[in-house]
Amino acid sequence: MEKIQVNLKNRQSTIIVGECLNNLEKYIRGRKCFIITDSNVNRLYRDRFPSCPVYVVKPGEKSKDLKVSAGICRWLLENGADRGSFITGIGGGVVCDLAGFVAATFMRGLSFGFVATTLLAQVDAAIGGKNGVNLDGYKNIIGTFSQPEFVICDVDLLISLPEKEYVNGMAEVIKHALIRDKHQFDHLEGYNIPILARDRNEMELIVGHSARIKAAIVGDDELEHGERRKLNLGHTWGHAVEKVTSLPHGEAVSIGLAFSAQLSVNKGLLKEEERDRILDLLSSYDLPVKNDADPSAVFSAMVMDKKKEGGAIHFILMDGIGSVVVEQTDVDELRNFALYGN
Ligand code: ADP
Ligand code: ZN
């Protein structure tokens, strides 16, 4: 078991890798707790939840919705929640976002924690204190920065995860290695068979490592003024691919990572051999590195996305394996690359 501290200005957030869902009660510390989960996790693991009221949402992105969060707030009121109550989200990225958002806003904010049950949530979504819900098709458009007291990463829960969901999470694991950790990249190259077979020790190693990278970046820049932007590696193009193709998030990010690697080569930042290692690694985890979507449609979606964020496109490029730079990139140059040079 490994404890990782996210060092923040106002409070501490602790990620506990290798802890067991059965020990959740210990972290609730006698407070009146309300659990939020989805129906898959509820079906698989309800018998291991502590005895608290449980609100069960439908699985999937549609539950990350303002109306769903209002329903949960109503339920909290009906069940006597007050300012001293505690919220625990048990689930993947969707449940953690939703539970975090409700906790951060109900009665101006309750303390909360997570048991992250997907690989993506354990290494990424549950860490960092960003909580949001969608509105009218705009993703995470309403949300808060608010940190969970704890994130329990029980790697044994990942055994029941559908193959596609597990691989989806690997895209973020690879992304973190590319941002800050060449050793982790080497490890992922050498151990893809046991990692894909979900060997327990390997899962604990990669989740610990990856969570530590995210925690360090968040600790450096909680409110995303600079360093935290690096976490967008593969996501600028990836989000647009996701929008146009409806591919799962991890697969779209994988295509975005490949895009960023090639652009980095074109700009003379990354060696061709390094790009090839990156593409081979993604492929060895069954992640796609290209797709058939019309590049001009993806490009337009990307520009639209960025306009909402205020115009300039900050592209995250790789200047080696385990190191990235944030570059403000010219839109015409990007269009040329996306349409002809990729
Ligand atoms: P993500 O973590 O990828 O953002 P979700 O929260 O939507 O995504 O979870 C992905 C899917 O996996 C959902 O259908 C969810 O119910 C299911 N799920 C979550 N955790 C587990 C688990 N430990 N075992 C099996 N299925 C799970
Ligand atoms: Zn992502």
Side-chain angles (χ1 to χ4, degrees), residues 19-189:
E19 178 57 291
C20 179
L21 167 60
N22 296 17
N23 294 331
L24 169 61
E25 196 144 18
K26 195 168 93 187
Y27 298 85
I28 295 170
R29 290 190 279 119
R31 289 169 288 189
K32 188 168 180 181
C33 175
F34 295 85
I35 290 175
I36 301 167
T37 190
D38 77 17
S39 56
N40 288 331
V41 177
N42 188 57
R43 175 172 40 82
L44 289 162
Y45 298 111
R46 176 67 171 261
D47 57 347
R48 293 169 55 185
F49 290 8
S51 55
C52 324
V54 179
Y55 193 96
V56 182
V57 300
K58 288 190 189 132
E61 186 76 16
K62 279 204 178 123
S63 286
K64 258 182 67 162
D65 179 272
L66 202 57
K67 286 203 187 85
V68 176
S69 67
I72 299 174
C73 290
R74 238 171 251 126
W75 170 78
L76 286 170
L77 279 173
E78 284 160 12
N79 284 276
D82 57 37
R83 299 227 43 205
S85 300
F86 189 83
I87 306 266
T88 305
I90 307 182
V94 166
V95 164
C96 292
D97 249 349
L98 185 63
F101 177 72
V102 167
T105 49
F106 185 78
M107 293 188 173
R108 298 196 181 84
L110 306 185
S111 297
F112 64 102
F114 297 139
V115 180
T117 66
T118 65
L119 180 57
L120 186 119
Q122 293 189 358
V123 302
D124 190 12
I127 304 169
K130 275 191 186 179
N131 316 290
V133 294
N134 308 332
L135 181 74
D136 300 340
Y138 291 94
K139 277 188 138 191
N140 299 320
I141 201 74
I142 305 174
T144 65
F145 280 100
S146 190
Q147 296 288 343
E149 211 173 272
F150 60 81
V151 181
I152 291 176
C153 299
D154 179 345
V155 293
D156 289 324
L157 304 179
L158 303 181
I159 300 288
S160 57
L161 207 56
E163 183 73 23
K164 246 188 149 30
E165 297 295 343
Y166 185 71
V167 165
N168 215 20
M170 280 309 302
E172 306 288 353
V173 172
I174 293 171
K175 179 193 81 173
H176 287 159
L178 284 169
I179 294 173
R180 273 218 186 174
D181 197 334
K182 182 170 182 312
H183 289 299
Q184 166 88 328
F185 186 93
D186 296 343
H187 185 84
L188 294 170
E189 266 182 335

Side-chain angles (χ1 to χ4, degrees), residues 124 172 235 249 253:
D124 190 12
E172 306 288 353
H235 282 62
H249 181 71
V253 166

Side-chain angles (χ1 to χ4, degrees), residues 236-237 259-260 263 267 295 299 302-303 306 312-315 317 327-342:
T236 312
W237 187 253
F259 181 93
S260 172
L263 183 59
K267 283 176 165 285
F299 180 78
M302 180 178 74
V303 174
K306 291 295 142 185
I313 300 193
H314 287 97
F315 222 91
L317 298 168
E327 268 201 16
Q328 192 157 331
T329 314
D330 181 67
V331 177
D332 289 328
E333 184 190 345
L334 267 180
R335 180 188 291 112
N336 265 335
F337 174 72
L339 269 50
Y340 312 110
N342 181 17

Side-chain angles (χ1 to χ4, degrees), residues 5-6 85 225 330:
Q5 297 293 341
V6 190
S85 300
H225 297 305
D330 181 67

